[in-house]
Amino acid sequence: MTGAFGSYLTLVASVLLLALVFYPFELLAPAEKHQTLGKRLFNLAYIPFFLAVAVLILQPIANSIAVLVFAVTVGGALPRLIAQPASPAHQVVFALAYAVWWDLWQYWLHRLQHRVPWLWETHRFHHSETALNSSTQGRHHLLHHVLTFLFYLPVLVVTGWYTPHYLAVFVMFRLWGFVNHANIRVRLGVATPLFSGPQWHRIHHSTLAEHQDKNFATFFPFIDMLFGTYYRPRRNEFPPTGLRDAEHSAPLREATVGPFVAWYRNTPVRRFRFAKWIGG
Ligand SMILES: [Zn+2]
Ligand SMILES: [Zn+2]
């Protein structure tokens, strides 16, 4: 427990430190000016709570399932086919291949979350951010993480216990979320199709009709090109963000019971009762 608690504290500290590092840049060159500080503070206060559940409760369960998967698949497909990448050059190639494979998987899960109504409820809280900023990267409902882990099992079966070097893992899964969501007026120019950045991901969070269901990838926009959902932002295109239906309930409710209430409201039993009540 001490080990898990130590990892939790390190994780929280690194996330808060990164938030602190990004903040001055967001003040210097904001994509959206005059953002309310309270919205950022809400995310920063929420993150330690959701990480506590994610790291101290969900992670040990996920680890036990992963051990079971490795036992059944004899360590996964990749470790049986190739040796562990050893040299720095091999590690870079492996990290890039892993990132593309991970992003392809993430792309389809993310599209499903936008397409299937009951999956959308696990992602809605993330999109309810009306002042997109670097702290939004931690604004995910816990159900989003449960869903991610369940869908991650095919990735585990392929990669087994192989993971990229810890520096690559840090860039991919810690730093890049801050980059993607930063409220910074920066354009990637000719590199736009190659790597996702704040302007490109801002389009995904946009409230404008022409931006709906675009730019799903986390790292590589060319994946969106491949499947017809790529939108290249124009030079000064930094749209407003949030939910299109403008149905912004209280953020605390969205972060906790929101998905469960929505699921309940849409169950056949509930619809039947409602129809009876209105005499339908
Ligand atoms: Zn989304
Ligand atoms: Zn996002």
Side-chain angles (χ1 to χ4, degrees):
M1 187 62 186
T2 314
F5 194 66
S7 327
Y8 162 69
L9 288 181
T10 312
L11 186 59
V12 171
S14 70
V15 169
L16 296 182
L17 190 68
L18 275 170
L20 211 64
V21 168
F22 271 74
Y23 189 42
F25 295 101
E26 295 180 293
L27 286 176
L28 276 172
E32 179 189 17
K33 289 179 183 163
H34 314 300
Q35 282 190 348
T36 318
L37 185 63
K39 291 181 179 174
R40 185 183 296 259
L41 291 178
F42 173 85
N43 292 342
L44 294 177
Y46 166 76
I47 287 169
F49 285 104
F50 108 86
L51 283 181
V53 182
V55 175
L56 302 174
I57 298 171
L58 296 179
Q59 194 63 47
I61 299 170
N63 287 346
S64 311
I65 296 172
V67 168
L68 202 69
V69 170
F70 294 162
V72 172
T73 60
V74 202
L78 214 55
R80 277 183 283 131
L81 292 174
I82 57 167
Q84 175 103 42
S87 72
H90 277 108
Q91 284 183 1
V92 170
V93 172
F94 176 66
L96 278 172
Y98 182 91
V100 172
W101 161 234
W102 184 92
D103 211 6
L104 266 170
W105 160 82
Q106 183 281 146
Y107 172 91
W108 283 107
L109 173 59
H110 194 177
R111 264 190 90 166
L112 275 177
Q113 283 181 300
H114 278 251
R115 174 63 67 91
V116 181
W118 69 272
L119 290 182
W120 166 247
E121 296 303 332
T122 67
H123 188 46
R124 182 187 158 87
F125 174 51
H126 182 62
H127 276 272
S128 69
E129 180 67 272
T130 50
L132 199 70
N133 69 85
S134 58
S135 72
T136 310
Q137 60 84 28
R139 188 186 168 100
H140 283 286
H141 197 281
L142 269 166
L143 286 172
H144 167 83
H145 291 278
V146 173
L147 186 77
T148 301
F149 176 72
L150 290 176
F151 275 74
Y152 193 68
L153 292 176
V155 180
L156 272 186
V157 168
V158 173
T159 60
W161 38 263
Y162 271 17
T163 48
H165 190 274
Y166 73 90
L167 276 177
V169 169
F170 174 80
V171 172
M172 280 188 255
F173 302 117
R174 197 72 49 82
L175 185 68
W176 215 257
F178 281 90
V179 173
N180 272 348
H181 295 95
N183 180 35
I184 301 178
R185 207 171 186 81
V186 65
R187 308 166 192 90
L188 294 190
V190 289
T192 301
L194 294 179
F195 300 104
S196 84
Q199 192 188 20
W200 193 77
H201 191 64
R202 191 177 184 85
I203 296 293
H204 178 71
H205 280 264
S206 167
T207 53
L208 305 182
E210 64 266 35
H211 299 148
Q212 296 313 296
D213 294 330
K214 299 284 186 237
N215 299 2
F216 287 100
T218 294
F219 306 128
F220 304 114
F222 56 80
I223 293 177
D224 281 90
M225 273 179 167
L226 209 63
F227 300 113
T229 49
Y230 177 78
Y231 182 98
R232 184 174 181 140
R234 289 187 298 275
R235 192 175 153 70
N236 286 314
E237 200 169 19
F238 292 92
T241 63
L243 294 167
R244 270 203 87 198
D245 56 13
E247 197 191 291
H248 293 283
S249 58
L252 208 57
R253 179 190 155 107
E254 294 265 5
T256 51
V257 296
F260 302 102
V261 172
W263 287 344
Y264 173 69
R265 277 187 180 154
N266 291 310
T267 52
V269 176
R270 161 86 183 186
R271 278 206 298 270
F272 171 72
R273 278 199 202 133
F274 185 66
K276 258 179 83 176
W277 181 63
I278 59 170

